Amino acid sequence: MKAASLTARLSLLFALSTVAVLLGLGWTLERLVEVHFREIDHHEIAGKLALVRNLLVKATTPASLATLPAELEAALVGHPGLALRVQAADGSLRFASVSGQVPPRMPVARPGGEAAEGVLWVRWQDGAHAFSGLIARVATGVSEASPDTVAIGLDISHHQAFQDEFRRILGLAMLLAAAAAAALGWAVTRAGLRPLRRITALAADLDASRLGDRLPEARVPAEIKALVIAFNAMLARLEASFQRLSDVSADMAHELRTPISNLTLQTQVALNAARDADQYREILYSSLEEYERLGRMIGDMLFLARADQGLLRPVTAILDIAAQVRDLFDYFEAWAEEQGVSLTLTGSGYVRGDPSMLRRALSNLLSNAIRHTSAGQQVCVQLTDDKQWCRITIQNPGPTLSPEQLPRLFERFYRADPARGRQGLGSGPGTGLGLAIVKSIVEAHGGGIAVTSGAGRTCFVVTLPGAWRHTARMAPAASAGK
């Protein structure tokens, strides 16, 4: 079953809300009209009762009782819907009006009972006619001990006819108002949802060539503006991601083309002429270096792809970072001496992390620092640990990087100095992925990395959660490199 559109739903809600309001208003008006008519009827009937009571009190002699019917008849002149019956205490009928209808015979409640002050108000139906009236005990001037029974009835059919017509008109008005509210709600909702239709149209036509399109944010309703802003932000993220993907694809093609071209050229040279075993062995060694470089690049890309998908799951253990750095100093010692670079370590710190992953991150940072440090200079590693966070600062002298270059250092295949990107012991010829891998590893451990450059020095600061952040008392694990 197809779901109703938002416009149809809101239009229906408009109509239902209007009907609910009108029903409540109509019910209130009907009750007010009914109470008003009842007060009018009671006022008229009570007035006649007072008149009849006055006439009965004045009838103090048999002669006055004889003229009572004529006086009562005169009192009903001009009230065609009013009926009166007066019955003596002994059951004889003193007076009965010619037209109209009085309440049926029924006992009158005593004062203090259901009928206050000896008056019982009643309503009844006779066929198509409705009546309202009362039955009361009224003392006469002849005998106060034996009061007469007075019954008065008033035809209120015209009031009920008015109320029936009122209900009919109100019902018709509610139907028309509901239809008008639905139509108005449809028009207003359709106009208000115009930005949503523009979003739908833009999303339907969206492709890689139109990622730069944006929805206008001016004069957009507040309820939809947040959606428009979020949609534009999503397009901006998609555009940036697609641009990065395009750049990475282009960089990968460029990076892979070089070793493949080298392999192709070496193979062609080897096939051009007959060579001895040593020459072929030298060509194979050269090819092996290119294969290893290709393997590292592919492995690094797979590692970064797993990081992008959130699939890196560090195996945590408490590590002595100082011991890890000293192990790496031993590993890089020969290369550093060859470069004329000295390595220093100050401070200590413990973290909870994956030994192999953190060793790889530190190795990339150290090899990068040694590679860009001139002979006779020093690479300094400083550790600070406040039990909550451990900071690893790796500082080396070298060319000052511009503020525009710093944010891009962690991008894939980006090299601030391409001429220096091919040498190094740590991972062989550079692939341009080392710092991107460092960033992924640090973030997988819940940390962060930052870089500053100035006054001829470049400084990388890695911040990792301290070992005591999650466990109060644990002995540090042995160094992974030992």
Side-chain angles (χ1 to χ4, degrees), residues 52 56 65 68-69 72 84-97 102-108 134-140 143 146-152:
V52 172
L56 289 177
L65 287 176
L68 182 63
L72 293 175
L84 173 64
R85 184 178 69 234
V86 179
Q87 186 174 339
D90 57 3
S92 61
L93 188 62
R94 293 189 188 277
F95 175 81
S97 59
V102 295
R105 295 180 181 274
M106 55 189 304
V108 179
L134 59 77
I135 302 174
R137 296 290 182 88
V138 179
T140 65
S143 174
S146 301
D148 289 359
T149 300
V150 177
I152 302 176

Side-chain angles (χ1 to χ4, degrees), residues 162-238:
F162 175 84
Q163 288 183 280
D164 292 341
E165 182 68 12
F166 176 78
R167 295 189 190 97
R168 187 184 68 81
I169 295 176
L170 184 62
L172 180 61
M174 282 193 294
L175 290 178
L176 294 177
L184 182 61
W186 182 88
V188 171
T189 304
R190 184 170 177 80
L193 295 180
R194 189 176 295 115
L196 286 179
R197 292 197 297 275
R198 288 202 296 267
I199 294 176
T200 303
L202 179 59
D205 297 336
L206 194 63
D207 55 30
S209 63
R210 296 189 59 189
L211 290 177
D213 292 352
R214 298 293 185 271
L215 289 172
E217 298 178 6
R219 296 192 303 175
V220 175
E223 294 80 4
I224 301 179
K225 189 170 184 177
L227 175 61
V228 171
I229 293 174
F231 189 80
N232 287 339
M234 180 193 70
L235 289 179
R237 291 193 300 271
L238 287 176

Side-chain angles (χ1 to χ4, degrees), residues 125-400:
Q125 191 81 21
D126 186 4
H129 291 271
F131 298 89
S132 177
L134 59 77
I135 302 174
R137 296 290 182 88
V138 179
T140 65
V142 177
S143 174
E144 295 183 1
S146 301
D148 289 359
T149 300
V150 177
I152 302 176
L154 178 64
D155 190 348
I156 58 172
S157 300
H158 59 291
H159 291 169
Q160 289 201 335
F162 175 84
Q163 288 183 280
D164 292 341
E165 182 68 12
F166 176 78
R167 295 189 190 97
R168 187 184 68 81
I169 295 176
L170 184 62
L172 180 61
M174 282 193 294
L175 290 178
L176 294 177
L184 182 61
W186 182 88
V188 171
T189 304
R190 184 170 177 80
L193 295 180
R194 189 176 295 115
L196 286 179
R197 292 197 297 275
R198 288 202 296 267
I199 294 176
T200 303
L202 179 59
D205 297 336
L206 194 63
D207 55 30
S209 63
R210 296 189 59 189
L211 290 177
D213 292 352
R214 298 293 185 271
L215 289 172
E217 298 178 6
R219 296 192 303 175
V220 175
E223 294 80 4
I224 301 179
K225 189 170 184 177
L227 175 61
V228 171
I229 293 174
F231 189 80
N232 287 339
M234 180 193 70
L235 289 179
R237 291 193 300 271
L238 287 176
E239 183 181 18
S241 299
F242 189 81
Q243 185 61 45
R244 286 196 300 269
L245 182 61
S246 299
D247 293 342
V248 169
S249 299
D251 291 338
M252 283 185 63
H254 175 75
E255 295 293 334
L256 291 174
R257 181 176 59 185
T258 300
I260 291 176
S261 297
N262 293 340
L263 290 170
T264 302
L265 180 61
Q266 290 173 359
T267 303
Q268 290 174 344
V269 170
L271 294 175
N272 282 339
R275 302 177 186 276
D276 56 29
D278 291 337
Q279 291 175 323
Y280 280 121
R281 187 177 293 107
E282 183 178 353
I283 293 173
L284 289 176
Y285 276 129
S286 178
S287 298
L288 179 61
E289 291 179 357
E290 297 297 335
Y291 287 134
E292 289 175 347
R293 182 180 171 208
L294 282 172
R296 284 194 301 273
M297 186 181 300
I298 293 172
D300 290 346
M301 289 303 300
L302 290 174
F303 182 90
L304 290 173
R306 291 177 58 213
D308 290 342
Q309 297 298 321
L311 299 178
L312 293 184
R313 297 289 185 271
V315 178
T316 58
I318 293 182
L319 302 177
D320 183 350
I321 295 298
Q324 295 286 329
V325 173
R326 284 192 292 269
D327 290 344
L328 289 173
F329 279 3
D330 293 339
Y331 177 72
F332 286 115
E333 182 178 7
W335 180 42
E337 289 180 355
E338 181 183 343
Q339 296 287 107
V341 176
S342 60
L343 306 174
T344 63
L345 169 65
T346 59
S348 62
Y350 296 92
V351 301
R352 175 178 287 275
D354 188 293
S356 61
M357 291 174 65
L358 290 179
R359 185 182 179 89
R360 182 176 185 179
L362 294 173
S363 175
N364 287 350
L365 289 173
L366 281 174
S367 64
N368 182 75
I370 295 172
R371 185 181 301 115
H372 293 88
T373 301
S374 302
Q377 301 292 325
Q378 190 178 67
V379 174
C380 301
V381 179
Q382 182 180 7
L383 306 179
T384 57
D385 190 346
D386 62 3
K387 304 302 182 183
Q388 293 296 314
W389 298 97
C390 178
R391 290 174 178 82
I392 307 169
T393 303
I394 300 177
Q395 188 178 119
N396 68 280
T400 300

Side-chain angles (χ1 to χ4, degrees), residues 454-466:
R457 301 190 72 83
T458 300
C459 179
F460 287 87
V461 180
V462 176
T463 304
L464 294 170

Side-chain angles (χ1 to χ4, degrees), residues 41-101:
D41 296 338
H42 284 198
H43 180 72
E44 183 175 359
I45 296 171
K48 291 305 176 185
L49 176 61
L51 179 60
V52 172
R53 179 180 285 114
N54 185 51
L55 293 175
L56 289 177
V57 169
K58 290 180 179 180
T60 57
T61 62
S64 59
L65 287 176
T67 62
L68 182 63
E71 293 177 351
L72 293 175
E73 187 69 36
L76 296 179
V77 174
H79 299 278
L82 194 65
L84 173 64
R85 184 178 69 234
V86 179
Q87 186 174 339
D90 57 3
S92 61
L93 188 62
R94 293 189 188 277
F95 175 81
S97 59
V98 177
S99 61
Q101 188 176 18

